[in-house]
Amino acid sequence: GNLSLARKDYKLAASYYKRSIGLDSLNKNAWYNLISCLVETKQIESALTYGKNATLLFPDDGEFYAYVFQLLRENGDHTAALAYLNKAIEHTTEKGRLVSYLCTKGDLFYSIQQYDSAYTAYEEALVFAPNDALTLNNYSYYLALQKTNLKKAKSMAKRLILVNPNTPEFLDTYGWVLYQMEQYKEACLYLEKAASQRADAAIFEHYGDALYALKRTEESLIWWKKAAQLTPSSKLTSKIQKASEK
């Protein structure tokens, strides 16, 4: 199985791993590899079945719960996914992985519009790792999107860019927080830097929004059009039309 896996012959490898766990059901690595191979070959339902069986065989292993969570989430079954993610958190002791799961829990709650639960999950992650970049970024960005607790969002995003001064996503987050606080000139400084480093529709749109707030309409149109070329949307089209009429 391992040889086939190394050759990326996932279908053949899966057949060997199935045989392996048939001979020794407690071969944990074989279960890991089998589920991975099934995912690689798009056999999602089969991967889910084996993943759930693995959680019964190895109830103290958080990684199997995390596998099942990811598959259920991709299937859109958020309620069941959350139950498995909570089990992954419960059975994980390694700090880095625990923080990652808690941040993911926050992201999941935010995606289903349970904002307070999302913020609670991010707070839990920050207890274990106060400077975790992904948690600080997502938490502050989502607060900004909801225009909630912007002072806290600014504090977290500022910590983020002090440690990571050249990461476009983080510069964008800090710039967007400043924009929501109507600090448009300062927002432009960070959004311009982000836009110069990464061709990303969201970053371009944010920079265009900040320029427009400063009445720099011609410049804002340039960046909105760049954003629309990357990812067209009715919202961008509307902004461009409205600004062009002025």
Side-chain angles (χ1 to χ4, degrees):
N2 291 342
L3 187 58
S4 299
L5 181 61
R7 291 173 176 167
K8 297 186 178 180
D9 188 343
Y10 300 115
K11 188 174 181 181
L12 182 60
S15 67
Y16 281 121
Y17 290 128
K18 284 178 184 177
R19 194 180 307 170
S20 178
I21 63 175
L23 296 170
D24 177 9
S25 64
L26 297 180
N27 184 341
K28 192 181 285 190
N29 284 333
W31 283 92
Y32 284 138
N33 291 335
L34 171 58
I35 296 164
S36 296
C37 288
L38 291 170
V39 170
E40 288 288 348
T41 54
K42 304 288 189 284
Q43 298 179 66
I44 304 304
E45 288 304 317
S46 186
L48 258 175
T49 299
Y50 278 101
K52 289 176 179 178
N53 287 340
T55 65
L56 298 175
L57 273 173
F58 309 101
D60 297 323
D61 191 315
E63 203 166 339
F64 285 120
Y65 294 110
Y67 269 130
V68 177
F69 154 74
Q70 191 60 45
L71 292 167
L72 288 169
R73 186 186 190 185
E74 288 171 7
N75 276 357
D77 191 347
H78 297 303
T79 303
L82 183 60
Y84 277 93
L85 181 56
N86 282 332
K87 283 285 189 182
I89 291 167
E90 181 185 341
H91 294 288
T92 298
T93 55
E94 196 273 309
K95 190 174 83 168
R97 189 167 287 172
L98 180 60
V99 170
S100 174
Y101 291 163
L102 287 166
C103 182
T104 299
K105 184 177 178 179
D107 296 345
L108 176 62
F109 272 128
Y110 190 87
S111 73
I112 57 175
Q113 300 182 343
Q114 294 188 27
Y115 303 129
D116 288 341
S117 295
Y119 305 150
T120 298
Y122 292 135
E123 290 286 355
E124 289 178 26
L126 292 174
V127 168
F128 291 100
N131 293 311
D132 182 67
L134 188 60
T135 304
L136 288 171
N137 183 69
N138 294 7
Y139 192 5
S140 54
Y141 185 68
Y142 289 146
L143 285 174
L145 285 182
Q146 297 303 312
K147 299 182 182 179
T148 301
N149 208 346
L150 291 175
K151 284 186 179 179
K152 182 180 181 68
K154 182 179 179 181
S155 173
M156 291 191 295
K158 192 166 188 176
R159 276 161 55 197
L160 188 62
I161 62 163
L162 284 173
V163 179
N164 307 275
N166 296 306
T167 304
E169 294 89 344
F170 301 162
L171 291 165
D172 173 64
T173 292
Y174 189 53
W176 192 241
V177 171
L178 293 169
Y179 174 87
Q180 297 289 49
M181 298 178 82
E182 300 182 5
Q183 297 174 18
Y184 301 127
K185 284 187 179 179
E186 194 179 356
C188 266
L189 295 175
Y190 291 95
L191 292 170
E192 180 183 21
K193 189 175 180 182
S196 71
Q197 292 183 19
R198 168 123 348 139
D200 179 271
I203 293 174
F204 289 174
E205 184 177 1
H206 289 163
Y207 185 34
D209 290 349
L211 290 165
Y212 189 74
L214 291 172
K215 304 193 185 311
R216 293 162 61 180
T217 306
E218 291 302 318
E219 291 171 88
S220 70
L221 278 168
I222 291 169
W223 289 98
W224 284 340
K225 287 175 181 177
K226 285 184 177 184
Q229 285 174 348
L230 292 174
T231 309
S233 73
S234 57
K235 185 177 74 167
L236 271 170
T237 301
S238 176
K239 283 182 183 180
I240 291 166
Q241 287 177 344
K242 183 180 176 183
S244 298
E245 289 166 3
K246 288 195 173 183

